[in-house]
Amino acid sequence: VPVVRSSATVVARAAPASRPDRCRLTPRLADLPVLAPHHRLTRRSDFTRTLKFGVRANRRHFVAYVDRPEYAPGQVLVGGPRFGLIVGKSVGNAVTRHAVSRKLRAAAAGNTSIDPQTMVVLRALPAAAQASSTILAAELAGVLSRDPVDRASR
């Protein structure tokens, strides 16, 4: 089957809903910043440690667990803060979960200037499905700007 390239006018006539003047005002998920691989939590042991020993911060759209270096003596991390995501089925179907994951990764990508030894796990709540990336980024910035609570004083 020969491949024929379409011109812009043919495409505009064939798919009027995709014309640039009718595009949505919200940014596309593909335009969000990407979290570099060295800023991602990938090992199960890192997730378990952060969930067990990290300070929990409840927000409307997610629960954040932050494990800072004072809670991990002797452990040296290289490459900057690392973020992990937990987006369960309660958030929505696969498409919704992936969209929420991308928004949370974009929010984390904007907060990589914190202590390089910090490990953060974000557990998405069902309300995150309707949240915009700017709201998620603001909530995450608020969590990361706070000083961690001293675990010994609790």
Side-chain angles (χ1 to χ4, degrees), residues 85-144:
L85 304 176
I86 301 172
V87 184
K89 286 188 175 181
S90 64
V91 173
N93 62 17
V95 174
T96 304
R97 290 194 309 268
H98 286 130
V100 169
S101 296
R102 291 178 75 177
K103 290 176 188 178
L104 287 173
R105 271 192 228 107
N111 289 294
T112 57
S113 61
I114 59 173
D115 185 6
Q117 294 189 8
T118 304
M119 292 190 288
V120 180
V121 173
L122 303 173
R123 181 186 302 271
L125 298 175
Q130 287 82 28
S132 69
S133 56
T134 53
I135 291 173
L136 294 174
E139 285 186 3
L140 182 58
V143 167
L144 297 177

Side-chain angles (χ1 to χ4, degrees), residues 16 34 61 82 128 135:
V34 178
H61 300 103
R82 296 190 298 160
I135 291 173

